[in-house]
Amino acid sequence: MEGMTEAAYWAGELESVFARVAGRFARADLRWRMRDYVRGLLGRATRKNGWQLAEWAGHRTPDGFQRLLNSSVWDADALRDDVCAYVAERLGPGGVLIIDDTGFIKKGTTSAGVGRQYTGTSGKIDNCQIGVFAAYATSSGRALVDRELYLPKAWTSDRDRCRAAKIPDERGFATKGELARDIVRRCLAATWVTADEAYGQDWHFRRLLEQLDVGYVVAVPKSQQIKSLAGIWRIDQLIEEAPLDAWQRLSCGEGAKGPRVYDWAAAKLPTNLIFDPDPPTHHRWVMARRSLSDPGEIAYYLAYAPVGIEIAELVRIAGSRWAIEECFQAAKNECGLDEYEVRRYIGWYRHITLSMLAHAVLTALAAQAQGGGAAKGAAETDQPPSRSPWQRSGDSWTLSCPIHEPTAIPSSTH
């Protein structure tokens, strides 16, 4: 940035991004309209809806922007791929892909996918659309890189309603977990994946990551079942068996008030003879995070990691999940992610992707300005009691066959 003003540097980065994606817009008028729209999303309009963006750009009406989002010919998925490649290039390799969903509160019943459903955005059942997203995070920054609109069965079972919202006939019902798996297949640059328990408890999601040779640390509910040849156990039962020596005090990353420090316990699971090579290249783990102020507050995780991984690294991956919440907040507050007024299916994808592009530019500029790094830590442990299923193995812990009776639950997970 030496030798140029900050404003000139920002303008240069934005122009380079516009040049990068220009080929996605075949006509010159579309390219200029896209540039105005993204500049508006990055601008200071009070609300970043069609009218205010048009006024900010100097347009008499929002008609041009409405055509850009609803009827012009361009491929939002191709632009999404450009956003993903740009973010990976600017933030660097070896990052974490974070899967989560967010809600967009709406009025009426005609916006594609809208319905009364639970959303963490309001913390209750609300009339909203739900988008499943992926963010990519490294020590240099984090940005949204993929998105899918969730369509409830009430929509996909009503083809007339779908056609009115311009939803393609080939788009059928897909669970949020299935949408997440589609996203993962597209975003293979990440070394790790993390997600909350809504996705972590899905065996198909975890198994896909294992088949792709991608490590993961995912949250799961306390009722999560862990299989072995001897039976099935709940993860909270296994964690209850952890000796005091198995808990380590580690930071899972920086928060608004400094390092986020918790007590952590982690142990390797026995090798899966069906899925794993001999010798194994990865191990599966159970993990738990315990609050320092309220020891009864425990979060549970399953992990899949290369042989030789350090516990502190697994903790760091688990802690990186909060980065996508920061992405949602920044993209909504600064880039108009949730301020669209389109109702059609294609309009949602186009606005969201252009907003992601705007947010990616902000992330790249911040990464250039400050960079970043991740701290690692470790703690020593001693030998556990002799009859505990938690057995010391080198510098880590391994779960042997538990000594209590397994829970008689027939369904499968691990």
Side-chain angles (χ1 to χ4, degrees):
M1 217 180 297
E2 186 177 355
M4 65 168 60
T5 66
E6 181 177 357
Y9 177 76
W10 279 50
E13 180 68 14
L14 188 56
E15 284 300 320
S16 74
V17 170
F18 287 152
R20 184 181 193 125
V21 304
R24 304 303 184 187
F25 303 86
R27 299 200 328 255
D29 63 321
L30 276 183
R31 290 194 290 273
W32 285 106
R33 204 165 288 144
M34 175 273 296
R35 291 161 69 100
D36 284 348
Y37 195 81
V38 173
R39 283 198 181 99
L41 292 174
L42 291 168
R44 297 181 178 178
T46 306
R47 278 188 56 80
K48 294 174 181 178
N49 55 32
W51 274 104
Q52 294 205 24
L53 289 178
E55 182 179 350
W56 188 92
H59 299 183
R60 288 185 301 173
T61 71
D63 293 353
F65 285 158
Q66 290 172 358
R67 287 194 297 272
L68 174 71
L69 298 180
N70 290 314
S71 60
S72 299
V73 179
W74 60 279
D75 188 345
D77 287 345
L79 182 63
R80 171 208 63 205
D81 295 342
D82 289 340
V83 172
C84 189
Y86 171 69
V87 169
E89 178 184 301
R90 290 295 191 265
L91 298 187
V96 182
L97 191 72
I98 310 157
I99 304 294
D100 201 359
D101 52 72
T102 190
F104 303 89
I105 309 301
K106 292 292 169 184
K107 296 179 181 179
T109 60
T110 57
S111 297
V114 74
R116 291 193 57 78
Q117 49 198 327
Y118 177 82
T119 171
T121 301
S122 61
K124 62 181 182 179
I125 294 175
D126 224 327
N127 194 61
C128 64
Q129 294 168 296
I130 299 290
V132 178
F133 286 80
Y136 181 73
T138 71
S139 59
S140 298
R142 72 277 300 168
L144 299 173
V145 294
D146 209 337
R147 73 291 176 266
E148 288 289 354
L149 179 62
Y150 171 69
L151 299 178
K153 287 183 178 179
W155 272 85
T156 57
S157 61
D158 187 343
R159 298 320 301 180
D160 289 337
R161 191 183 187 192
C162 285
R163 292 188 185 102
K166 304 301 181 184
I167 297 171
D169 287 340
E170 61 270 19
R171 176 68 194 268
F173 176 73
T175 66
K176 295 171 189 173
E178 289 170 333
L179 296 177
R181 296 201 292 275
D182 289 340
I183 288 173
V184 165
R185 292 185 185 98
R186 292 194 292 260
C187 300
L188 297 182
T191 304
W192 293 93
V193 168
T194 188
D196 68 13
E197 63 183 48
Y199 300 93
Q201 66 184 325
D202 180 358
W203 180 86
H204 298 284
F205 180 70
R206 301 196 308 273
R207 182 58 190 150
L208 172 65
L209 295 173
E210 294 174 8
Q211 291 172 327
L212 295 173
D213 223 20
V214 175
Y216 62 74
V217 181
V218 293
V220 294
K222 66 180 183 180
S223 59
Q224 180 72 34
Q225 299 168 37
I226 307 298
K227 272 188 173 183
S228 80
L229 294 177
I232 301 173
W233 289 264
R234 284 170 50 125
I235 193 171
D236 58 347
Q237 292 177 331
L238 296 177
I239 295 301
E240 285 175 5
E241 297 284 345
L244 293 177
D245 309 70
W247 292 92
Q248 307 179 49
R249 189 154 295 180
L250 297 168
S251 169
C252 60
E254 291 293 321
K257 300 180 180 179
R260 289 176 287 143
V261 179
Y262 298 89
D263 286 335
W264 294 82
K268 286 183 286 190
L269 291 166
T271 300
N272 189 311
L273 300 178
I274 299 175
F275 295 133
D276 298 339
D278 186 17
T281 59
H282 291 69
H283 287 134
R284 294 175 188 81
W285 296 71
V286 293
M287 298 173 58
R289 184 197 72 202
R290 188 174 65 193
S291 169
L292 302 186
S293 59
D294 181 4
E297 183 182 314
I298 301 176
Y300 302 92
Y301 300 84
L302 292 177
Y304 178 76
V307 170
I309 194 75
E310 295 183 2
I311 304 301
E313 178 69 356
L314 294 177
V315 168
R316 182 186 72 83
I317 303 303
S320 68
R321 183 169 64 86
W322 296 107
I324 196 168
E325 299 295 341
E326 296 169 353
C327 288
F328 289 147
Q329 182 177 3
K332 289 180 178 182
N333 291 345
E334 300 170 19
C335 303
L337 185 74
D338 61 344
E339 295 183 344
Y340 56 89
E341 294 179 337
V342 293
R343 293 187 175 91
R344 294 179 177 180
Y345 179 84
I346 192 172
W348 186 91
Y349 275 93
R350 288 179 170 185
H351 168 83
I352 294 295
T353 308
L354 290 168
S355 180
M356 286 166 47
L357 177 64
H359 179 245
V361 172
L362 293 182
T363 299
L365 289 167
Q368 287 287 337
Q370 60 188 9
K376 294 186 179 182
E380 294 183 355
T381 55
D382 298 320
Q383 292 290 341
S386 59
R387 286 186 57 79
S388 171
W390 289 63
Q391 299 296 327
R392 183 69 177 269
S393 177
D395 294 330
S396 61
W397 298 83
T398 299
L399 278 173
S400 60
C401 185
I403 57 176
H404 53 70
E405 290 298 318
T407 302
I409 304 176
S411 60
S412 62
T413 51
H414 173 68

